[in-house]
Amino acid sequence: MKIHFIAIGGSAMHNLALALEHKGYKVTGSDDVIFEPSKGRLEKKGLLPEEFGWFPEKITTNLDAVILGMHAKPDNPELLRAQELELKIYSYPEFLFEQSKYKTRVVIGGSHGKTTITSMILHVLDYHDISVDYMVGAQLEGFDRMVHLTEENDFIVLEGDEYLSSPIDRRPKFHLYQPNIALLSGIAWDHINVFPTFENYMEQFQIFVDGIVRGGSITYNEEDIVVKTVVERSENSIRKFPYTTPAYRVENGVTLLDTPEGEMPIEIFGQHNLNNLAGAKWICQNMGVDEDDFYEAIASFKGASKRLEKIAENTEKVAFKDFAHSPSKVKATTGAVKEQYPNRNLIACLELHTYSSLNAEFLKEYEGALDAADEAVVFYSPNAVKIKQLDEVTENQISEALKRDDVQIFTDPGAFQEYLFAKNFDNSTLLLMSSGNYGGLDFEKVKTLFL
């Protein structure tokens, strides 16, 4: 098959392009800008466009399909040409469904935890040499790509994102997968630029549950009241499997998980991650992995990339980097790190970087998010607020939203870095939470503070 990607350079898009090239498809693509690591990975496989930009002449009738990425605009010249030629145009999730419509689809949904749970499942399956197709939102240790597609595998494991499918398809991605086996980890309002009210956001998850294939199953976190309400409200003819956080304790910085065979030390930590583990166990059992085999494999799971990633450590101090940016994720991550190192000073640094987090009204959702930190630090760029065409966010608004008078707020990258590199981290834990990079922070240099 000949497939052309419009906006091939995105994290998800370039991984799908690599997966199709690996499968033997002829792949081409365009984009107006491509950054690393996408650029180098595409170049290595001969898929990097010779020139950046949009070229309608690339769109011809001999293409079997066009895959449209979110980075493209509705008036993209290549998209307009494809529409003119009446070519088959897929969104990213539509094409994944097309590739998996004869497989058993396992879809992991939720506002938080879905990347980690998907990663746990794939780790366990890989440990036991069980081959499946997959799509996950992070690069996993031991895996070449974030997307893998075959003709022969019976299962496909998909991370179910609730964000929009494409510039011309405004449905959430996970509405298109039609799962046979599904999981719902938690619901906490996010993406307010698309879902302006919590009720509207919650409705998307109701549609997800109602869209599970008849006779299928939903594994759900019953500790989340909203999840419990959505699942129990559904009249879909499916099996419903609730799960809760398993018993565990922390001793000398090591988390010990309670199992039928006794306590087992694990690499990950935090109540939210133990809750994720319980959900992953249920899904693996639904896929034929017994409980003992699950525990054997999960003991060596170190976490998904950018999710509570330990970047440096010595005997008296440790530093973590985490993708957390939404209120629920920030609160869970901060609490987890403090629980793991209760006797150390926790310095929690949060970058407000996304559209939601820089919205003056949405800021109120961050109340209590940094309560577990001994020192709370917030960085944001007023310029980013202007670029996103939002109302001005003030330091006073942030302090009031967090309900912390002692929060230190930085708007200048240089000032934040000066603070960080002058800090004494003895007997401390540093937690850097962001989906950005604090205006250009050198994380390699940060590591030198913990040698």
Side-chain angles (χ1 to χ4, degrees):
M1 288 185 72
K2 295 180 180 178
I3 308 290
H4 182 78
F5 284 74
I6 301 177
I8 195 172
S11 175
M13 289 284 279
H14 95 274
N15 271 284
L16 179 55
L18 292 172
L20 294 183
E21 186 274 340
H22 181 76
K23 196 177 178 182
Y25 286 24
K26 182 170 175 53
V27 175
T28 58
S30 298
D31 216 322
D32 54 359
V33 62
I34 301 178
F35 299 106
E36 296 293 355
S38 304
K39 186 178 179 182
R41 299 180 80 210
L42 287 171
E43 189 171 29
K44 187 177 178 182
K45 293 295 182 180
L47 302 181
L48 186 68
E50 291 182 9
E51 187 180 350
F52 290 156
W54 310 113
F55 305 94
E57 60 271 20
K58 288 184 178 182
I59 310 301
T60 62
T61 53
N62 69 348
L63 289 173
D64 293 295
V66 170
I67 302 177
L68 178 64
M70 272 301 295
H71 173 61
K73 299 287 190 294
D75 63 351
N76 182 284
E78 294 188 10
L79 171 59
L80 295 178
R81 180 61 176 158
Q83 290 170 327
E84 181 186 329
L85 294 176
E86 298 183 346
L87 297 178
K88 182 60 185 174
I89 301 168
Y90 291 98
S91 66
Y92 179 85
E94 269 183 318
F95 192 81
L96 283 173
F97 175 77
E98 186 65 24
Q99 292 276 302
S100 61
K101 59 187 177 184
Y102 302 117
K103 298 177 184 287
T104 299
R105 291 174 300 284
V106 180
V107 183
I108 310 303
S111 305
H112 46 75
K114 53 185 175 287
T115 299
T116 298
I117 295 171
T118 308
S119 302
M120 287 176 172
I121 294 164
L122 293 176
H123 174 85
V124 170
L125 296 174
D126 183 62
Y127 181 94
H128 291 294
D129 296 319
I130 300 170
S131 297
V132 296
D133 290 4
Y134 60 83
M135 181 277 290
V136 62
Q139 189 62 51
L140 304 183
E141 190 177 321
F143 290 76
D144 293 333
R145 298 175 304 279
M146 292 157 59
V147 180
H148 180 62
L149 300 170
T150 68
E151 296 296 334
E152 63 273 11
N153 288 337
D154 295 327
F155 284 95
I156 184 168
V157 181
L158 298 161
E159 180 178 332
D161 181 6
E162 70 272 23
Y163 203 65
L164 304 180
S165 295
S166 86
I168 58 173
D169 186 347
R170 309 295 284 178
R171 291 174 294 175
K173 294 187 185 77
F174 68 172
H175 288 182
L176 281 67
Y177 294 139
Q178 300 178 39
N180 305 93
I181 299 169
L183 179 142
L184 195 47
S185 61
I187 299 175
W189 190 24
D190 203 355
H191 308 306
I192 66 165
N193 53 323
V194 178
F195 310 112
T197 66
F198 176 71
E199 290 70 28
N200 177 237
Y201 183 68
M202 187 170 73
E203 183 186 356
Q204 310 313 312
F205 292 90
Q206 192 72 64
I207 294 169
F208 170 65
V209 174
D210 291 343
I212 296 168
V213 171
R214 237 180 185 185
S217 69
I218 177 71
T219 297
Y220 66 100
N221 175 17
E222 68 172 341
E223 291 174 1
D224 187 304
I225 300 304
V226 182
V227 166
K228 195 168 185 285
T229 300
V230 164
V231 172
E232 293 180 354
R233 180 190 294 164
S234 179
E235 296 179 0
N236 194 0
S237 300
I238 54 176
R239 291 164 294 153
K240 299 175 180 179
F241 303 121
Y243 67 89
T244 57
T245 305
Y248 71 96
R249 66 186 180 90
V250 179
E251 184 178 289
N252 298 323
V254 177
T255 294
L256 300 167
L257 175 65
D258 193 14
T259 78
E261 300 299 318
E263 289 186 326
M264 182 182 81
I266 54 177
E267 298 277 352
I268 56 170
F269 64 87
Q271 182 177 340
H272 65 300
N273 270 330
L274 273 293
N275 184 270
N276 292 336
L277 183 149
K281 182 167 81 72
W282 265 107
I283 296 296
C284 286
Q285 287 179 273
N286 281 337
M287 295 177 71
V289 178
D290 68 34
E291 190 175 46
D292 288 346
D293 286 341
F294 175 84
Y295 285 128
E296 179 187 335
I298 205 67
S300 57
F301 178 72
K302 295 181 179 177
S305 175
K306 299 181 182 178
R307 270 68 177 180
L308 204 45
E309 180 181 354
K310 186 186 291 183
I311 60 173
E313 181 181 28
N314 69 20
T315 53
E316 59 179 23
K317 51 191 175 181
V318 61
F320 290 92
K321 182 170 68 168
D322 192 80
F323 195 66
H325 49 83
S326 69
S328 60
K329 293 174 187 172
V330 170
K331 186 170 186 177
T333 299
T334 308
V337 173
K338 187 60 183 177
E339 181 186 44
Q340 194 75 359
Y341 302 94
N343 300 319
R344 291 185 181 180
N345 187 49
L346 173 56
I347 302 111
C349 303
L350 169 65
E351 179 179 12
L352 300 176
H353 178 71
T354 65
Y355 183 97
S356 296
S357 68
L358 291 170
N359 183 288
E361 190 61 30
F362 187 77
L363 266 177
K364 298 170 187 173
E365 301 290 321
Y366 283 90
E367 181 177 342
L370 293 177
D371 280 1
D374 298 294
E375 296 182 43
V377 181
V378 170
F379 172 85
Y380 77 100
S381 167
N383 191 46
V385 177
K386 289 178 184 174
I387 290 171
K388 290 176 169 60
Q389 298 181 332
L390 293 165
D391 292 337
E392 181 186 6
V393 174
T394 66
E395 294 184 15
N396 190 49
Q397 284 174 311
I398 293 171
S399 179
E400 286 184 2
L402 290 169
K403 294 288 187 284
R404 286 195 66 147
D405 295 331
D406 63 340
V407 61
Q408 299 180 71
I409 299 171
F410 294 91
T411 57
D412 175 65
F416 172 68
Q417 291 178 34
E418 190 175 323
Y419 155 80
L420 204 60
F421 291 111
K423 188 86 179 164
N424 182 349
F425 289 103
D426 289 348
N427 196 37
S428 296
T429 304
L430 173 65
L431 174 59
L432 296 163
M433 295 176 285
S434 176
S435 58
N437 65 358
Y438 298 89
L441 178 64
D442 184 345
F443 289 101
E444 291 301 314
K445 189 177 176 184
V446 172
K447 292 178 184 180
T448 63
L449 299 172
F450 293 80
L451 297 176

